[in-house]
Amino acid sequence: MQKSATCVTDRREARRLATNRRITVQAQQLVERHGFDGFTMDDLAAAADVSRRTLFNHVGSKLDAVLGEFPVIPDPLVEQFRAGGPHGDLFSDLGALAEEVVADHDATREEIALGRRMLADPRLLAASNERFAAYAEPFLDHIAAREGAAYDETRARVAVSVLVSLAEMALDDYVADTEGRPLVDHLTRLLAAARSLVSRT
């Protein structure tokens, strides 16, 4: 019974994520064609082939639709990190979390490229940066729980900020890659470069 309930929950979550993804892609395409102010939520509902009610069940605003959802890190991975794993080094373990999330992504290169083009709009860039900061903030709590009395907030903020910057670079490199390498490969390469810089200082 428990396994059956879990399967149903997983299917519902998969459908929810697929609908959210379709809404975001359609919203971004509308922005590209008409500008952020050039379409309504009714236009978006029609483009995404959902009812207005369904649309607002998935997104709270036009901005939410355009920016999309940030990935959720599974609780077991968070608990492993808070316990000091998987490698015992703060930056390496933050990188391992990011690699797990990125490896699980299924957005196409075209979808990511479209999302990156949205950031040419200063309003969307500012909103995206603000949401990235809010998304990263809980990691400071995870680091504090992990390090206990040794917690250094400045060190933690630097580690999280560097990781966010590398993730942004990985997205741009992935979009520009003509060889079709997975996004996680670009992130892994950049993480290795960052670690090599620190190890030489």
Side-chain angles (χ1 to χ4, degrees):
M1 179 65 76
Q2 181 63 41
K3 183 177 180 180
S4 176
T6 299
C7 289
V8 169
T9 300
D10 288 347
R11 286 197 298 272
R12 286 176 178 166
E13 178 63 7
R15 286 198 299 271
R16 186 191 71 80
L17 290 172
T19 301
N20 277 10
R21 176 177 170 182
R22 187 170 74 253
I23 288 170
T24 292
V25 169
Q26 292 300 323
Q28 291 177 351
Q29 289 178 347
L30 286 169
V31 170
E32 192 156 55
R33 290 197 295 268
H34 307 293
F36 184 75
D37 296 321
F39 67 97
T40 67
M41 291 297 274
D42 286 335
D43 295 329
L44 175 55
D49 194 24
V50 297
S51 69
R52 181 179 174 86
R53 178 177 178 180
T54 297
L55 178 63
F56 280 102
N57 283 338
H58 284 267
V59 295
S61 68
K62 187 191 294 189
L63 185 61
D64 291 335
V66 173
L67 294 182
E69 274 191 317
F70 282 108
V72 175
I73 300 177
D75 289 341
L77 294 180
V78 173
E79 291 306 314
Q80 180 186 56
F81 175 82
R82 289 169 70 100
H87 306 297
D89 171 75
L90 175 60
F91 188 72
S92 294
D93 292 345
L94 281 171
L97 280 180
E99 287 173 320
E100 288 279 356
V101 170
V102 166
D104 199 38
H105 93 101
D106 59 357
T108 66
R109 181 173 274 99
E110 292 74 19
E111 288 172 354
I112 291 179
L114 175 62
R116 301 304 285 167
R117 291 198 298 273
M118 294 300 98
L119 303 185
D121 182 321
R123 290 179 299 172
L124 293 178
L125 176 59
S128 177
N129 289 340
E130 183 177 325
R131 292 194 179 194
F132 249 122
Y135 179 73
E137 194 69 21
F139 284 94
L140 298 179
D141 293 333
H142 299 327
I143 295 172
R146 170 192 173 106
E147 299 199 331
Y151 175 65
D152 180 331
E153 183 176 353
T154 299
R155 177 173 174 267
R157 287 191 176 278
V158 168
V160 171
S161 295
V162 170
L163 183 64
V164 169
S165 296
L166 294 178
E168 294 273 3
M169 290 174 63
L171 288 171
D172 289 335
D173 289 353
Y174 175 66
V175 168
D177 184 10
T178 59
E179 298 180 9
R181 288 169 293 184
L183 175 57
V184 68
D185 287 3
H186 292 283
L187 179 60
T188 298
R189 174 178 54 81
L190 292 168
L191 287 166
R195 284 193 294 268
S196 70
L197 286 172
V198 173
S199 67
R200 293 175 184 174
T201 60

